[in-house]
Amino acid sequence: MKPFDYLRPEKVEDAVTALASTPQAQVLAGGTNLVDLMKYDVTHPDLVIDINRLPLKAIEETADGSLRIGALVSNSALAYDAVVQERYPLLSSAILAGASPQLRNAASTGGNLLQRTRCYYFYDPSTRCNKRDPGSGCSAIGGVNRIHAILGASEHCIATHPSDMCVALAALDATVEVQGAQGKREIPFADFHRLPGDQPEKDNTLEKGELATAVRLPANHFAKHHSYLKIRDRLSYAFALVSAAVALDIQDGTITELRVALGGVAHKPWRDPLAEAEFAGAPANEESFRAFAARLLTGSIGQGGNDFKIGLAAKTIVRALTQASVRQPQVQSHKAIF
Ligand code: SF4
């Protein structure tokens, strides 16, 4: 590991100033991804900015009925927060589907947004990887690509975003609050993560020197009909092959609102609001759910090793929508799927 300087600021402004003024600065919160990346020689910061003393650990209800979650709130604290469990059970469920209790205790909300892909080649500096080393090529295309993208990929990168939490945040129309040297701004969640295009090294739309300070959740009416269903190779602890965060509003057997975000299939949580709008007014039954799955997966393409994900994603969407419609959300404690 390369030597680096270490800073532990007390104020957000000081963290942002250091982040903006040091070319190779990296932010440390829970460290559950950054420390691995440094040990594997994937990233080499000149400066590590430890933000754990910043005042970003609160979960607050706001005047407009939103919930504001500080970037340093741990995954465990968020999943078990009483307001989150009551009003945003989809988010709580998605968090509990991820990682292990030890990791969830350490990992932060902001860090979850910013975690890097789990593409095997990205973590192996002896291989070609456009995300780690722009212009070097993509070893996953034509290589081992069981865990890779079926939607929104490019000829430069077919990686997926690994988060569970972010899939629920996408379905819930969250907003990310950021602060930089130029001041504060807000980024709709759908615009926070990006597709790889010809710049796969850029995971998100943060500008240089900007720090994610909070996530805001608008009020919603999805506490009744929701489910987070995660399909993985190993039930005890693994990243998603495919996951679906589903929220429904159903009146007299008819869908009045539908939200579906997919994890494990693209470089960002995958949602299509136009497709969702087409199904408002449809009966809440298996036929509608199958038709929606086909619509959402339009344009999906396998890379050989991950061809199975297309069919798996369709089944996952239908199953999660069925669970949500009958108010039997996926249980994350024993993980058996009904
Ligand atoms: Fe690198 Fe992306 Fe290719 Fe993986 S899929 S090897 S992260 S460029």
Side-chain angles (χ1 to χ4, degrees), residues 115-226:
Q115 64 181 301
R116 313 287 322 259
T117 184
R118 262 58 186 187
C119 172
Y120 335 105
Y121 301 106
F122 178 67
Y123 287 80
D124 180 354
S126 70
T127 63
R128 294 176 298 115
C129 170
N130 285 325
K131 186 180 280 296
R132 173 173 30 77
D133 183 12
S136 64
C138 173
S139 299
I141 297 175
V144 179
N145 49 40
R146 176 176 172 76
I147 64 171
H148 289 77
I150 54 172
L151 287 161
S154 76
E155 60 181 320
H156 303 287
C157 179
I158 58 172
T160 56
H161 194 268
S163 172
D164 293 297
M165 175 193 286
C166 289
V167 186
L169 291 176
L172 294 169
D173 274 346
T175 300
V176 184
E177 297 180 11
V178 307
Q179 187 166 336
Q182 309 305 319
K184 299 178 182 177
R185 68 180 179 119
E186 298 183 351
I187 307 175
F189 206 80
D191 299 331
F192 185 79
H193 297 103
R194 56 185 299 286
L195 294 177
D198 58 5
Q199 279 191 297
E201 69 277 15
K202 281 178 70 81
D203 291 347
N204 56 60
T205 53
L206 282 178
E207 300 291 343
K208 169 68 184 159
E210 282 186 325
L211 181 72
T213 54
V215 171
R216 221 177 47 247
L217 285 172
N220 70 64
H221 43 267
F222 298 125
K224 237 163 101 175
H225 296 287
H226 67 90

Side-chain angles (χ1 to χ4, degrees), residues 250-263:
I250 299 173
Q251 303 292 335
D252 299 325
T254 298
I255 298 169
T256 53
E257 194 170 357
L258 175 151
R259 306 252 189 101
V260 177
L262 300 180

